[in-house]
Amino acid sequence: MTGLIHERYGERMREAVADARLALVTGDVPVSALVLDGAGSVIGAGRNERELRRDPTAHAEVLALRQAARNLGDWQLTGATLIVTLEPCVMCAGAILAARVARVVFGAWDEKAGAAGSVYDVLRDRRLNHRVEVFAGVEADACGRLLEEFFAARR
């Protein structure tokens, strides 16, 4: 299954990694997200812009979900896939659930704040009214390396 997921979403994740590099210009953590419709077309995209916007909610996932909803004219993103370079945090996991996203594909694990299986598993919590398929580790090395470089430069 892992090979199929890499084959299906690897190219899109590489696009997200390239886009995440643009967040470096604004001093934001280099994270990028894409929302794909059921046919695999990009309907939303976003990168971290907390520093740029001075907005604590301006995470890549939230911005991508907002754009996808605008483009579809509907907040329910049923059948959509969210591709993101870093495991979503609790806030983003809540937004993913609220939008009824079908699956999340992420690159690097977030061992400090992840909510898709590392620290928490909000996306698959059976107590909630919606669960999401989660696939981790797609282009994990490239995603992780970008984050390591960013944080090493800040130390």
Side-chain angles (χ1 to χ4, degrees), residues 18-146:
D19 184 64
R21 291 186 188 286
L22 298 176
L24 297 170
V25 174
T26 60
D28 280 288
V29 177
V31 176
S32 180
L34 300 171
V35 179
L36 309 179
D37 65 13
S41 298
V42 176
I43 56 173
R47 74 180 70 88
N48 274 0
E49 293 184 357
R50 289 185 310 169
E51 298 298 329
L52 178 66
R53 295 178 185 228
R54 303 290 185 241
D55 177 353
T57 69
H59 287 208
E61 300 95 323
V62 171
L63 298 177
L65 292 170
R66 286 176 182 163
Q67 186 179 76
R70 274 193 310 274
N71 287 338
L72 289 181
D74 193 348
W75 63 267
Q76 293 187 47
L77 303 178
T78 307
T81 298
L82 177 78
I83 296 175
V84 62
T85 57
L86 180 64
E87 178 184 7
C89 69
V90 173
M91 177 186 70
C92 292
I96 291 163
L97 290 170
R100 307 297 192 262
V101 169
R103 78 197 46 78
V104 169
V105 178
F106 69 86
W109 289 95
D110 185 345
E111 299 296 334
K112 293 183 179 179
S118 63
V119 179
Y120 305 102
D121 200 355
V122 174
L123 295 178
R124 294 177 287 200
D125 190 323
R126 294 203 168 279
R127 296 169 292 182
L128 300 173
N129 66 339
H130 181 71
R131 279 172 295 292
V132 178
E133 274 188 295
V134 176
F135 300 100
V138 175
E139 297 294 323
D141 290 341
C143 295
R145 199 169 29 256
L146 182 58

